[in-house]
């Protein structure tokens, strides 16, 4: 069967399995708007070192220039050219330390970081990312740094006008989980007390807010009366 092809202006959904160590864990759906007139979205899992050559274009895209022979991005005898010059890197996994073990709504409501810092496998889109961002995301998979040694990439690849459109691809954006289900699931989680929580005991609301901002969260301003 011909590979599924997307048209500019459509929506394409790609499923990525972050595994048990993912945040969130398991299968995730990412929805993309194609940048090219006709393209295929390719999901790859490549072992470090990739040997993939990338550059940041003037338009802000991260584009593949090629792959070094003998590395995973170049493929092998049975599966050559796993990445191709001109491929656009649309998403990449990364390992990051995040607060885990407690629902986010609880943290925002109390201005208190609840949970513990854990290294988790995430996936992020490359819109707005720099060359250094993508290179750092790839490097975070090193086993010595807590990664699993395997990088997951979502690539957008140009196809010729002669390639037939295949309607089997999921072109609908992923459906969001109902808010009521999210809250019910979060209520079943236990509040986790650890060293990080103890660090903020006795802080003012402003200090707790700043601590959350330092950890990368977008929080509302505290009550000025506190």
């Amino acid at each position: 069967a011909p590979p599924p092809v997307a048209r500019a202006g459509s929506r394409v959904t790609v499923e990525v399995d972050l595994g048990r160590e993912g945040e969130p864990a398991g299968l995730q759906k990412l929805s993309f708007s194609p940048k090219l007139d006709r393209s295929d979205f390719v999901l790859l899992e490549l072992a470090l070192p990739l040997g993939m050559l990338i550059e940041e274009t003037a338009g802000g895209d991260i584009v593949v220039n090629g792959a070094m022979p003998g590395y995973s991005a170049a493929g092998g005898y049975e599966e050559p050219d796993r990445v191709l010059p001109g491929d656009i890197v649309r998403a990449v996994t990364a390992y990051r330390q995040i607060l885990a073990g407690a629902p986010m709504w609880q943290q925002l409501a109390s201005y208190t970081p609840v949970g513990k810092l854990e290294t988790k496998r995430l996936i992020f889109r490359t819109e707005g990312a720099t060359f250094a961002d993508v290179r750092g995301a790839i490097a975070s998979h090193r086993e010595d740094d807590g990664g699993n040694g395997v990088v997951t990439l979502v690539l957008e690849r140009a196809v010729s006008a002669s390639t037939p459109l295949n309607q089997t691809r999921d072109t609908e954006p992923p459906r969001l989980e109902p808010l009521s289900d999210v809250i019910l699931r979060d209520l079943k989680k236990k509040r986790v007390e650890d060293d990080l929580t103890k660090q903020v005991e006795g802080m003012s609301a402003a200090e707790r807010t700043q601590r959350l901002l330092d950890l990368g969260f977008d929080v509302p301003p505290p009550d000025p009366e506190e």
Side-chain angles (χ1 to χ4, degrees), residues 26-37:
L27 197 64
Q28 308 303 319
K29 289 186 177 182
L30 299 178
S31 183
F32 298 93
S33 294
K35 292 177 175 287
L36 304 174
D37 290 337

Side-chain angles (χ1 to χ4, degrees), residues 11-189:
R11 298 291 292 180
V12 174
T13 299
V14 178
E15 293 186 341
V16 178
D17 189 356
L18 294 180
R20 290 182 297 176
E21 59 186 359
E23 182 64 33
L27 197 64
Q28 308 303 319
K29 289 186 177 182
L30 299 178
S31 183
F32 298 93
S33 294
K35 292 177 175 287
L36 304 174
D37 290 337
R38 292 171 64 91
S39 60
D40 183 25
F41 279 73
V42 181
L43 181 67
L44 293 178
E45 291 190 340
L46 302 177
L48 291 179
L50 305 190
M52 183 174 69
L53 307 177
I54 59 174
E55 68 172 353
E56 183 180 350
T57 68
D61 292 329
I62 305 298
V63 178
V64 176
N65 278 338
M68 299 174 61
Y71 292 87
S72 62
Y77 177 77
E78 296 182 353
E79 195 175 11
D81 301 328
R82 300 201 71 187
V83 303
L84 297 176
D87 286 350
I88 303 175
V89 181
R90 298 300 306 270
V92 60
T93 50
Y95 279 85
R96 292 289 186 268
Q97 277 202 328
I98 66 169
L99 282 171
M104 182 60 63
W105 66 265
Q106 185 184 69
Q107 298 181 43
L108 297 182
S110 64
Y111 298 105
T112 302
V114 179
K116 61 181 179 178
L117 282 174
E118 295 182 2
T119 300
K120 291 288 188 176
R121 189 168 185 252
L122 315 173
I123 188 162
F124 72 91
R125 305 169 192 274
T126 58
E127 285 86 349
T130 65
F131 171 87
D133 292 333
V134 175
R135 181 180 60 183
I138 293 172
S140 71
H141 292 77
R142 297 189 183 111
E143 294 184 12
D144 291 344
D145 296 331
N148 67 348
V150 178
V151 181
T152 300
L153 296 166
V154 178
L155 306 175
E156 183 177 358
R157 178 172 298 167
V159 297
S160 66
S162 61
T163 303
L165 291 172
N166 187 332
Q167 300 302 323
T168 60
R169 176 176 293 279
D170 180 8
T171 56
E172 294 295 326
R175 294 184 177 181
L176 295 176
E177 185 177 6
L179 179 59
S180 59
D181 292 349
V182 175
I183 295 176
L184 287 174
R185 186 184 66 248
D186 284 346
L187 286 173
K188 296 178 181 179
K189 295 183 179 180

